[in-house]
């Protein structure tokens, strides 16, 4: 952990609240990834139905969209640390109940889905407050590195969490839930230790207009609008990873192990790039670097679509993950730095709606297009579409293209 957080000059590691924040995000991230994989296994083992697997996504999707704007408003009206703690207490309680009911043999499908709905609602409440807390924990000058280090923990959780959950599942689903509850409890204890380094923003009386103030703010800030909308359309069109089972079976002629390796490749690329970015601060041409990284994402998607060799497909997915990490760190840092602290909760809530919508609709778009044209043309069209989006956004948002530094006005 120390090399990751220290960088060249050790400044990240000197901020103890950030270290606690990073460990809390890592702990809850691993727990959530373990939870995600085990819930699917448990429900499928009871029902043997793809319909009920789809219901897991549905009960998570509705809270993430319906509650996002109120959650952002709450994050800007109350102490964000307490909001995060409240959300994690709800999540921990639901997970602990899942462990107990599974151990007793009373965890029916409807009970599991109901508790997943509670967990998703609590996570939606927690997320804008947690993201918006980060700029208050470190100086502005090292926020991009803090963002990269934070993203690394998320990628590590995506790689290791499901495998760890599957390993522990041999001892029973209740064991996985119990370990997950323990990880969330650890995260909660770490959040308790956080202390703000930057001044807290003033709180304004809640009104209906303030609820939608994040939408209005983004609409009036071309750079923020460009960043968020670029992410929306790039992810919407570049959803080739949703087609991995088809490519593994029909194109690359590999089995479940090969599919697992393919699924891990983007996360490995993102993880390694995140390590590098956590040691480096991007100081010049950040706008062009962001656009080129999204273009790289599109090129990698196109190469993957046209590849019939396992090694080339793995390299393409590896590059796809690395390019996505670069653009994600720049986008995330730029949105945080261009947004006043008193607005960050609401702006991050709108951003989360864009991200969740693009992920869900991107998988749907890829699946429908693949059903119509085939997996290879669908993925190739997605890669080409991403490149078209990059070209259009570079034309429509020239100031974003010319932007030199992450700090606003540069």
């Amino acid at each position: 952990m120390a090399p990751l957080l220290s960088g060249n000059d050790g400044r990240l590691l000197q901020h103890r609240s950030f270290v606690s924040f990073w460990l809390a995000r890592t702990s809850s991230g691993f727990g959530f990834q373990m939870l995600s994989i085990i819930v699917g296994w448990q429900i499928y083992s009871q029902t043997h139905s793809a319909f009920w697997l789809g219901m897991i996504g549905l009960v998570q999707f509705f809270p993430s969209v319906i509650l996002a704007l109120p959650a952002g408003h709450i994050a800007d009206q109350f102490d964000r640390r307490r909001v995060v703690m409240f959300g994690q207490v709800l999540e921990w309680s639901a997970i602990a109940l899942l462990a107990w009911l599974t151990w007793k043999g009373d965890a029916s499908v409807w009970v599991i889905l109901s508790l997943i709905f509670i967990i998703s609602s609590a996570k939606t409440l927690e997320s804008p407050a947690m993201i918006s807390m980060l700029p208050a924990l470190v100086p502005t000058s090292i926020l991009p590195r803090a963002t990269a280090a934070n993203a690394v923990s998320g990628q590590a959780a995506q790689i290791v969490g499901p495998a760890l959950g599957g390993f522990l599942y041999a001892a029973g689903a209740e064991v996985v839930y119990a370990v997950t509850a323990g990880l969330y409890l650890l995260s909660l204890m770490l959040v308790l230790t956080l202390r703000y380094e930057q001044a807290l923003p003033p709180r304004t009386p809640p009104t209906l207009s303030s609820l939608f103030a994040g939408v209005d703010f983004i609409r009036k800030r071309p750079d923020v609008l460009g960043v968020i909308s670029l992410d929306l359309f790039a992810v919407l069109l570049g959803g080739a990873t949703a087609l991995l089972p088809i490519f593994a079976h029909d194109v690359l002629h590999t089995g479940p192990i090969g599919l697992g390796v393919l699924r891990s490749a983007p996360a490995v690329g993102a993880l390694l790039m995140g390590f590098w970015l956590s040691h480096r601060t991007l100081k010049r041409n950040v706008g062009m670097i962001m656009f080129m990284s999204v273009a790289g994402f599109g090129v990698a998607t196109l190469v993957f679509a046209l590849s019939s060799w396992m090694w080339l497909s793995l390299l393409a997915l590896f590059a796809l993950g690395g390019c996505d990490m670069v653009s994600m760190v720049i986008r995330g840092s730029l949105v945080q730095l261009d947004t006043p602290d008193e607005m960050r909760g609401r702006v991050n809530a709108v951003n989360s709606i864009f991200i969740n919508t693009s992920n869900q609709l991107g998988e749907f778009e890829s699946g429908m297009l693949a059903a119509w044209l085939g997996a290879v043309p669908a993925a190739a069209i997605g890669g080409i579409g991403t490149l078209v989006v990059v070209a259009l956004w570079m034309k429509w948002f020239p100031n974003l293209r010319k932007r030199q530094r992450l700090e606003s006005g540069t």
Side-chain angles (χ1 to χ4, degrees):
M1 184 189 73
L4 168 64
L5 296 179
S6 61
N8 290 336
D9 51 14
R11 286 183 294 177
L12 272 181
L13 193 60
Q14 291 173 358
H15 300 276
R16 294 185 179 181
S17 284
F18 171 75
V19 175
S20 295
F21 175 90
W22 188 86
L23 291 173
R25 288 297 300 268
T26 301
S27 181
S28 61
F30 270 78
F32 184 76
Q33 292 298 327
M34 291 169 60
L35 178 71
S36 299
I37 195 74
I38 296 307
V39 164
W41 285 358
Q42 188 178 17
I43 285 183
Y44 192 74
S45 67
Q46 291 186 30
T47 65
H48 301 285
S49 168
F51 169 80
W52 289 107
L53 285 179
M55 287 295 292
I56 299 173
L58 190 64
V59 299
Q60 293 181 84
F61 175 74
F62 280 119
S64 69
V65 173
I66 295 172
L67 299 178
L69 289 181
H73 194 269
I74 290 171
D76 286 337
Q77 292 298 324
F78 300 96
D79 184 342
R80 290 165 182 161
R81 185 170 63 97
R82 294 184 179 181
V83 174
V84 170
M85 290 170 59
F86 178 76
Q88 292 197 346
V89 166
L90 285 180
E91 292 169 73
W92 174 82
S93 300
I95 296 168
L97 185 57
L98 260 176
W100 183 63
L101 291 175
T102 301
W103 176 68
K104 288 186 63 180
D106 294 334
S108 67
V109 172
W110 283 110
V111 167
I112 296 172
L113 289 176
S114 298
L115 290 173
I116 292 301
F117 179 83
I118 293 172
I119 293 169
S120 180
S121 299
K123 192 171 184 64
T124 301
L125 173 67
E126 168 203 341
S127 182
M130 178 70 93
I131 297 171
S132 302
M133 225 175 8
L134 180 57
L137 303 177
V138 295
T140 299
S141 60
I142 59 173
L143 178 61
R145 280 175 40 207
T147 302
N150 189 46
V152 163
S153 70
Q155 295 297 328
Q158 288 185 36
I159 296 171
V160 180
L164 181 59
F167 177 77
L168 292 174
Y169 189 77
E174 65 275 10
V175 173
V176 185
Y177 290 135
V179 172
T180 301
L183 289 171
Y184 267 86
L185 185 60
L186 174 60
S187 177
L188 182 60
M189 296 299 104
L190 288 165
V191 171
L192 273 170
T193 69
L194 297 183
R195 297 294 181 269
Y196 300 122
E197 292 192 11
Q198 314 298 325
L200 295 177
R203 307 304 181 191
T204 58
T207 62
L208 185 61
S209 62
S210 68
L211 178 65
F212 293 95
V215 178
D216 189 56
F217 177 88
I218 291 171
R219 183 176 60 84
K220 294 178 180 178
R221 300 300 194 282
D223 283 4
V224 178
L225 176 62
V227 165
I228 293 178
S229 57
L230 175 67
D231 181 50
L232 169 66
F233 286 101
V235 173
L236 184 64
L237 293 169
T241 52
L243 304 176
L244 280 179
I246 301 175
F247 275 89
H249 186 272
D250 297 340
V251 178
L252 301 173
H253 307 293
T254 187
I257 295 177
L259 174 60
V261 174
L262 289 168
R263 284 193 178 278
S264 298
V268 172
L271 182 67
L272 294 178
M273 182 57 71
F275 271 108
W276 186 84
L277 289 172
S278 69
H279 287 71
R280 301 287 187 274
T281 298
L282 298 174
K283 296 180 179 179
R284 295 185 60 189
N285 300 316
V286 295
M288 186 58 72
I289 291 172
M290 180 191 68
F291 279 117
M292 289 301 97
S293 63
V294 178
F297 180 92
V299 170
T301 300
L302 184 59
V303 171
F304 172 77
L306 301 177
S307 169
S308 58
W309 296 300
M310 184 69 171
W311 65 268
L312 182 58
S313 297
L314 285 173
L315 283 177
L317 291 173
F318 179 87
L320 181 150
C323 289
D324 189 47
M325 174 60 77
V326 175
S327 65
M328 182 177 68
V329 168
I330 293 176
R331 293 192 316 264
S333 299
L334 191 149
V335 170
Q336 295 276 37
L337 291 170
D338 273 18
T339 305
D341 194 46
E342 65 270 15
M343 289 289 300
R344 282 194 178 114
R346 283 164 287 181
V347 170
N348 281 318
V350 176
N351 193 22
S352 71
I353 293 176
F354 275 64
I355 292 171
N356 290 332
T357 301
S358 61
N359 284 330
Q360 297 286 341
L361 293 182
E363 293 184 6
F364 176 76
E365 174 269 334
S366 296
M368 292 300 100
L369 201 57
W372 183 32
L373 299 175
V376 171
I381 289 172
I384 294 170
T386 300
L387 294 174
V388 171
V389 166
V390 170
L392 290 174
W393 260 243
M394 289 177 68
K395 179 180 179 180
W396 292 343
F397 298 93
N399 289 335
L400 183 58
R401 183 186 75 240
K402 298 173 183 177
R403 186 154 175 162
Q404 291 296 305
R405 302 180 64 186
L406 289 168
E407 292 80 2
S408 60
T410 56

